[in-house]
Amino acid sequence: MKYAVYGLGNALVDKEFEVSDEFLAQNGIEKGFMTLIDEPRQHELLANLQQTFGLKKRTGGGSGANSIVAISQFGGKTFYACKVAQDEAGEFYASDLAKAGVKTRVNELNVQGVTGKCLVMVTEDAERTMNTFLGITSDLSERDLFLDELKAAEYLYIEGYLVTSDVSRNAVMKARQVARDNHIKIAMTFSDPSMAKYFQAGLQEMMGDGLDLLFCNEEELLTFTNTPDLMTAVQSLHPLVKKMVITRGAKGALVVNGDHHLDIAAVPTKAVDTNGAGDIFAGAFLYGVTHDLSDEQAGRLASLSASKMVSIYGARLSAEEHQEILKQVVR
C-alpha cells in the first residue's frame, strides 16, 4: 500500500486561548462542546479573546488532520483530503501539513473563499471548548477527494465533524463506496459529543453498512445510542462495528473486538489542555494497527500519546516527541 491511512476531514486553523468559565458564560458559549458559528460571530469573539486573554498558540487543526499528523509523525505514510482557500490561512495550513510529512493535493484545488478557523478556549480545569467557522471546508465535495490516492490506502479514516455539511456528507458516502469497492478498511471518529447529540441521523448515514473501526469517547457513545450503560451501548453497535475503541478519560480506554474486551490503562499526568487528546489517541492507535502492533500495544501507544498531549497546550506534538513515545512501546 502507498498509504497506511487516507484521512478525510475538515481543514481548520486553530487559535487557542486560556479563558475563564465566566468568559464562556458571559458570551453564551456551551462549555466542552464544538459549536458552529458564522464569520461575524467569530470576529466578535476573536476580538474579545485577544483583548482579554491574548493568543496562546496558532496551529493547523481539524480532528481528522490531527490524527493523520500523528500517524505521519510516528512514521506512517498518510494522505489527507481536505479543502482550504487561496488565502494566508490556507497557505499556512498546507505548509503545516507538508512539514508534518502528510501528503495532500490541496494546492491543486485553487479555490477562492475563506479558510476555516477554530477558536479553541481552554479553561482552568483543562476542558476545551471550540467555536468554529468552517469557511471553505464546509464545501468539501466529491471533487476534492482524489480517489486514486484513496485506492492506494489500507484505511479510510472519516472525521465525524463532516456530518454537519450535506455536501461533505455526500463526499463521505462517495469515499465509503470507493473504499468498499476496493477492499479498503473504513475507520471513523464521532469527533465530539455535539455531533452525537445533534447529528445522530447523519452519523448513522455515514456509518452506512458498517465500520471496521470506530473511535469515540464514553459520553459520545452513550449519547449516540441513547443508553445510560456502557455495555448496553457497546452491544447496540456490535452488529455495525467490527472493532470499537472507547476513551474514558482517567479510567483509560476500552477496545472491543467482537466478544473480546481489552482495558487500556490511562497514564497518570497533570492535564492542562484536553484539546487534541482524542485525536492523537485515534492517530496513535491507527498507526499501531497498520504497523503490525497488537491491540494492546496500539492501545498503550495511544494512551501514552494522549497523556503527553493533555500535559501541554495545543493539539499536536513534535516529531521528536512522537518518536520518544514510540520507543516506549516498540523497542
Side-chain angles (χ1 to χ4, degrees):
M1 293 293 180
K2 184 177 179 181
Y3 303 112
V5 183
Y6 168 109
L8 178 58
N10 286 319
L12 300 168
V13 174
D14 285 355
K15 290 188 175 182
E16 185 162 316
F17 299 84
E18 291 180 71
V19 306
S20 63
D21 286 322
E22 290 75 19
F23 178 87
L24 298 181
Q26 289 167 4
N27 287 274
I29 298 170
E30 190 172 11
K31 182 177 178 180
F33 282 75
M34 190 288 291
T35 302
L36 294 177
I37 57 176
D38 61 21
E39 193 172 18
R41 169 65 169 164
Q42 188 171 75
H43 286 318
E44 175 193 345
L45 280 177
L46 182 59
N48 289 342
L49 285 164
Q50 289 177 327
Q51 182 177 9
T52 308
F53 302 104
L55 179 66
K56 185 78 177 179
K57 182 178 282 190
R58 180 202 193 206
T59 62
S63 170
N66 291 339
S67 299
I68 291 296
V69 165
I71 298 166
S72 178
Q73 299 283 48
F74 281 124
K77 295 186 182 301
T78 59
F79 183 90
Y80 193 58
C82 61
K83 195 166 191 173
V84 297
Q86 285 185 302
D87 56 10
E88 187 277 332
E91 291 176 4
F92 171 82
Y93 193 87
S95 174
D96 197 53
L97 284 181
K99 288 176 183 176
V102 177
K103 177 88 183 299
T104 72
R105 292 171 63 180
V106 292
N107 292 330
E108 298 176 33
L109 299 176
N110 298 320
V111 291
Q112 300 301 312
V114 180
T115 296
K117 300 174 186 69
C118 178
L119 300 179
V120 182
M121 294 159 280
V122 182
T123 42
E124 191 175 354
D125 59 0
E127 181 65 85
R128 102 290 185 262
T129 299
M130 298 182 291
N131 274 205
T132 303
F133 168 60
L134 290 174
I136 199 72
T137 196
S138 64
D139 295 325
L140 178 69
S141 70
E142 294 182 27
R143 296 188 302 274
D144 309 316
L145 294 178
F146 298 106
L147 294 172
D148 52 330
E149 306 285 5
L150 172 57
K151 293 174 184 177
E154 181 179 350
Y155 266 90
L156 163 65
Y157 180 58
I158 302 165
E159 177 187 310
Y161 285 128
L162 294 177
V163 72
T164 64
S165 162
D166 291 341
V167 175
S168 297
R169 198 165 61 251
N170 288 336
V172 169
M173 302 311 293
K174 176 65 175 180
R176 272 192 59 93
Q177 187 57 54
V178 171
R180 283 289 182 238
D181 291 344
N182 289 272
H183 309 291
I184 295 159
K185 295 174 184 175
I186 302 175
M188 180 173 146
T189 172
F190 281 163
S191 293
D192 190 86
S194 62
M195 300 300 102
K197 182 177 181 179
Y198 299 115
F199 297 94
Q200 185 186 64
L203 287 177
Q204 288 175 330
E205 181 184 358
M206 294 203 311
M207 291 174 73
D209 61 357
L211 300 169
D212 295 283
L213 182 56
L214 172 66
F215 294 96
C216 58
N217 64 34
E218 187 170 5
E219 180 184 359
E220 291 161 357
L221 180 61
L222 296 178
T223 301
F224 180 77
T225 58
N226 196 29
T227 58
D229 173 70
L230 180 60
M231 287 301 106
T232 303
V234 167
Q235 286 302 313
S236 70
L237 285 186
H238 185 72
L240 273 179
V241 181
K242 290 183 180 179
K243 186 184 294 185
M244 197 180 312
V245 181
I246 307 153
T247 55
R248 308 182 69 199
K251 293 183 284 187
L254 176 66
V255 180
V256 180
N257 189 359
D259 294 327
H260 180 65
H261 291 192
L262 173 67
D263 286 309
I264 303 296
V267 178
T269 190
K270 176 175 173 53
V272 298
D273 178 8
T274 57
N275 184 31
D279 302 336
I280 199 171
F281 193 102
F285 195 91
L286 272 168
Y287 171 82
V289 298
T290 55
H291 289 79
D292 301 321
L293 299 189
S294 66
D295 284 353
E296 185 174 5
Q297 288 175 307
R300 173 66 175 165
L301 183 69
S303 187
L304 285 166
S305 301
S307 173
K308 179 66 176 178
M309 188 77 266
V310 301
S311 72
I312 65 170
Y313 286 98
R316 295 182 186 173
L317 303 179
S318 68
E320 293 75 19
E321 287 169 320
H322 281 88
Q323 290 304 309
E324 286 300 317
I325 295 168
L326 186 59
K327 288 175 185 177
Q328 296 181 53
V329 178
V330 181
R331 301 181 185 277

